[in-house]
Amino acid sequence: MPADLAIIGLGHLGLPLAQAAVAAGIQTVGYDTDPRPFAELSAGHTPVEGSLSASEIRRMLSGGFRPTTDPAELGRVRTAVICAPTPLGADRTLDLSAVGDAARALAARLRPHTTVLLESAVPPGTTENFVRPLLEEGSGLRAGRDFHLACSPSRLDPGNRTHVYSNTPKVIGGLTPACTESAATFYGRLTDKVVRARGPREAEMTKVLETNFRHVNIALVNEMAVLCHDLGVDLWDVIRCAETKPFGFQPFRPGPGVGGHCPPVDPGFLPYSSRTPGHPLRMVSLAQEINDRMPSYVIQRCATLLNEHGKSVRGARVLLLGVTYKPDLADQEASPAREIASRLMDMGAQIGYHDPHVLDWRVRELPVPRADSLYEAASSADLTVLLQHHRTYDLQGLAVKAQLLLDTRGATPAGAAHRL
């Protein structure tokens, strides 16, 4: 059966989109330039940790979702969505190579009147200056005249059961008004509200603003955590009080670092364009610097706590709880846990871990021992460090069992543990 929709990129962006499309009754194929997701999906397994469960994948398959390795399928649809990953490169700019590969694969089969959408997190200007030329050169068609082109950055919040695909407004910016309307028609089948941006750059910049807003505010509260600890102030109580203000304040909470799939973006540096604004976002760079320091601060607190209890980091048994970037998910993308474990190992500590969602964890390609019994492991460890607050953790009971507990999430009852 011919499909109406092709999703290119079967990762943390593409799979939830496919799930929403299948639920809306849209015949959907999924294509990835990497053949590995095809094998996993065909077997009913999820190729991405922390994305969809195996049962959700099986429901999608029974609902008509078809993963494929045949690029010819891309030329048989009315709508194609690029959901390729854009990880940070060595120079801390977003790596657009997967987006480029997806655009080239689509361009070779692109038909007139197709609607092409970009959901990947990209710097402003990518849709027009990077994706558009690849599509036009590879197809011989012209965007805005022969096919529709728009950007609609993903707004997924993995694990959020309140704000799901259907009730999260979708921002859309098309190359032309007709492109915007074509994209709005498609997304109107998936979500309750569509928000039309002036153009693709405004849509792309919306994602930049949303992501950087999160990072800057986390950086602020991380700095407050260090300051409050030095002053003997309970930051968690400060936040509790501050969030009662009904206007002008939104609570953020500190932690051991910032993870996830959406790194902060500085649009002052556009790697594909010869003309840059020349005004880097200094606040974003500073926020990233502050957040990058948090794993080191956690190590410092670990060493201080051990020393205060007559122990050295060298030879200490340290149990890390929760190694994922987000609670109640298996996704480890950019989690600070690995850096913290690595630094503790360098200092001679004996590292173990517990995470109900991660059965095998490696640091520097070496397996880290997993605790089978949480309470038993905590009682025998010199220091237990809560890095991620999974719902299954009984923190009050854990605080009683652990010899020494450092809570980097402020999740334990007041006075039950040492807080970040």
Side-chain angles (χ1 to χ4, degrees):
M1 180 181 295
D4 292 331
L5 169 66
I7 297 172
I8 309 172
L10 299 177
H12 71 280
L13 298 182
L15 288 176
L17 172 59
Q19 182 186 36
V22 170
I26 300 173
Q27 292 295 321
T28 305
V29 296
Y31 174 81
D32 203 303
T33 53
D34 182 347
R36 287 174 294 182
F38 170 78
E40 292 289 334
L41 288 168
S42 298
H45 303 145
T46 178
V48 182
E49 288 184 346
S51 182
L52 304 185
S53 66
S55 60
E56 288 174 318
I57 294 295
R58 289 193 290 271
R59 282 197 294 272
M60 285 168 55
L61 293 171
S62 63
F65 174 64
R66 290 191 294 113
T68 182
T69 56
D70 183 5
E73 294 276 7
L74 303 179
R76 301 169 184 159
V77 297
R78 290 182 289 184
T79 305
V81 187
I82 296 175
C83 295
T86 53
L88 279 181
D91 58 355
R92 300 202 67 83
T93 60
L94 295 181
D95 182 356
L96 302 178
S97 58
V99 172
D101 291 342
R104 292 184 190 93
L106 175 60
R109 289 109 188 146
L110 190 62
R111 296 189 307 170
H113 311 300
T114 302
T115 298
V116 180
L117 306 168
L118 177 64
E119 285 211 1
S120 305
V122 295
T126 301
T127 303
E128 294 174 88
N129 297 341
F130 183 69
V131 173
R132 177 183 181 177
L134 292 176
L135 294 174
E136 291 183 336
E137 291 166 10
S139 67
L141 304 176
R142 184 176 173 183
R145 184 191 68 186
D146 303 316
F147 66 93
H148 297 298
L149 177 62
C151 176
S152 182
S154 174
R155 276 181 162 173
L156 292 174
D157 187 15
N160 192 324
R161 300 181 182 184
T162 302
H163 297 104
V164 295
Y165 208 105
S166 62
N167 65 3
T168 300
K170 206 78 172 74
V171 173
I172 298 165
L175 192 65
T176 66
C179 292
T180 299
E181 291 311 309
S182 180
T185 299
F186 168 71
Y187 283 115
R189 301 173 68 182
L190 307 182
T191 185
D192 298 336
K193 184 176 182 179
V194 170
V195 180
R196 292 164 176 80
R198 179 167 293 182
R201 290 181 182 234
E202 285 75 16
E204 292 160 339
M205 189 63 85
T206 299
K207 180 68 172 182
V208 173
L209 177 58
E210 292 171 354
T211 300
N212 288 342
F213 176 84
R214 170 177 176 256
H215 278 265
V216 168
N217 281 280
I218 290 174
L220 171 62
V221 80
N222 277 338
E223 280 209 307
M224 290 288 291
V226 177
L227 174 64
C228 286
H229 174 72
D230 290 344
L231 295 177
V233 174
D234 186 345
L235 171 66
W236 308 95
D237 192 55
V238 172
I239 295 172
R240 180 185 66 82
C241 294
E243 65 184 344
T244 63
K245 184 180 180 182
F247 55 89
F249 182 81
Q250 179 177 343
F252 284 78
R253 288 167 174 79
V258 180
H261 295 270
C262 293
V265 176
D266 185 349
F269 304 99
L270 307 182
Y272 50 81
S273 175
S274 59
R275 183 173 63 85
T276 67
H279 300 290
L281 296 178
R282 289 180 293 169
M283 187 73 75
V284 174
S285 298
L286 180 59
Q288 186 63 35
E289 179 184 329
I290 292 167
N291 291 332
D292 284 347
R293 285 203 306 255
M294 291 310 292
S296 296
Y297 180 67
V298 171
I299 297 299
Q300 175 189 324
R301 292 290 304 279
C302 289
T304 300
L305 283 172
L306 286 168
N307 187 57
E308 289 174 349
H309 288 76
K311 298 176 181 178
S312 168
V313 176
R314 182 169 296 281
R317 291 165 296 181
V318 180
L319 176 66
L320 303 180
L321 301 186
V323 298
T324 61
Y325 94 88
K326 202 170 185 184
D328 306 317
L329 291 178
D331 198 334
Q332 300 172 45
E333 179 70 22
S335 168
R338 188 166 277 107
E339 181 180 349
I340 290 170
S342 181
R343 294 192 181 197
L344 285 170
M345 290 164 62
D346 287 340
M347 298 172 72
Q350 301 175 33
I351 302 298
Y353 88 100
H354 180 277
D355 194 305
H357 304 280
V358 180
L359 301 182
D360 179 71
W361 192 49
R362 293 174 177 267
V363 174
R364 297 173 178 170
E365 304 303 321
L366 299 174
V368 179
R370 184 179 188 273
D372 294 322
S373 172
L374 175 57
Y375 287 156
E376 184 178 321
S379 63
S380 63
D382 297 305
L383 173 64
T384 299
V385 184
L386 178 69
L387 297 178
Q388 190 55 265
H389 180 206
H390 293 306
R391 195 169 16 215
T392 56
Y393 286 152
D394 173 12
L395 298 182
Q396 191 149 9
L398 184 67
V400 173
K401 294 289 185 180
Q403 293 187 39
L404 191 59
L405 176 60
L406 174 61
D407 174 9
T408 70
R409 297 290 179 177
T412 52
H418 297 272
R419 288 179 171 183
L420 190 67

